[in-house]
Amino acid sequence: MLIGNREPDFMLGLGSNFRWKELTFGFLFDGRCGGDVVNITGSSLITNGQHHLFDKYRNREIVFNGVVANGDGTYRKNTTPVILDQNFINNHYYPVSSNFIEDGSYIRLSYVTIGYDLSKLLAKGCPVKGLNVSLTGRNLFLLTKYSGSDPQVTESGSSYGSGSGGFDRYQVPNARSFNFNLKATF
């Protein structure tokens, strides 16, 4: 039975670069709509009792939304509480693989860069002909409902067929970084 599709419905990007006098500014938003991610990391954290959902629900009674079969071909709304403990998780929640298929949609501010051309400030006869400074921030924010660290994951050494996206198995998420650049022309 097919329970997910890692291919997105569509991907998008919006970026631009502006220049005003000596100041430059650039940015890129990118995103994906649809495309499922298998949260193998979350699955492992749950079976080991280390997932953040246990902070709120550990050893409490929970009534799961759903239906219960009456035995005569009819169904009724589930009203039976269960104790969310390690026994219930390992025997009832973990074996249902669809519990770990999540929507991988996201919008990310991939980068913002701001620069300034200092060339007009150089003295005549200076061996430096051009001088630019810039500051770039990457992965500044991520909007997603995905419960893992980053829905834009790729599996290195993948054994999941062609491509490697859509499998979150202990990958390190994209890091936020800041770079300062100084460019001199002689």
Side-chain angles (χ1 to χ4, degrees):
M1 174 158 101
L2 180 65
I3 59 172
N5 181 357
R6 62 186 176 162
E7 296 298 322
D9 298 330
F10 64 90
M11 298 179 76
L12 56 102
L14 173 65
S16 193
N17 291 301
F18 302 99
R19 181 171 189 90
W20 182 70
K21 297 187 181 184
E22 283 75 38
L23 186 66
T24 57
F25 176 77
F27 68 90
L28 175 64
F29 284 96
D30 70 278
R32 175 175 77 192
C33 182
D36 295 321
V37 177
V38 181
N39 192 346
I40 299 167
T41 304
S43 166
S44 295
L45 290 171
I46 283 176
T47 59
N48 294 323
Q50 299 172 332
H51 197 276
H52 65 83
L53 77 85
F54 289 118
D55 295 343
K56 182 176 180 182
Y57 297 111
R58 185 183 311 272
N59 296 325
R60 294 194 179 174
E61 284 190 350
I62 304 284
V63 177
F64 284 97
N65 289 332
V67 295
V68 177
N70 290 324
D72 60 0
T74 62
Y75 298 90
R76 61 180 162 75
K77 183 177 170 137
N78 179 37
T79 58
T80 307
V82 296
I83 302 287
L84 192 60
D85 60 8
Q86 200 65 32
N87 181 53
F88 179 82
I89 291 296
N90 287 338
N91 293 320
H92 300 286
Y93 189 83
Y94 177 75
V96 181
S97 56
S98 61
N99 286 333
F100 306 103
I101 307 291
E102 299 183 44
D103 180 16
S105 299
Y106 69 88
I107 295 176
R108 176 189 317 272
L109 179 55
S110 291
Y111 76 85
V112 171
T113 187
I114 187 165
Y116 194 80
D117 185 354
L118 299 168
S119 300
K120 288 186 176 182
L121 302 176
L122 299 173
K124 293 189 188 227
C126 180
V128 178
K129 303 298 180 204
L131 187 62
N132 295 317
V133 296
S134 65
L135 179 65
T136 301
R138 297 188 186 283
N139 296 314
L140 297 177
F141 75 80
L142 173 67
L143 299 174
T144 185
K145 292 183 179 179
Y146 179 65
S147 69
S149 59
D150 192 337
Q152 188 182 19
V153 293
T154 56
E155 175 75 20
S156 61
S158 175
S159 59
Y160 299 113
S162 68
S164 59
F167 295 92
D168 181 357
R169 187 169 72 174
Y170 314 113
Q171 278 78 16
V172 176
N174 290 318
R176 178 176 296 143
S177 64
F178 297 93
N179 302 328
F180 176 77
N181 300 302
L182 177 65
K183 178 182 173 185
T185 307
F186 295 92

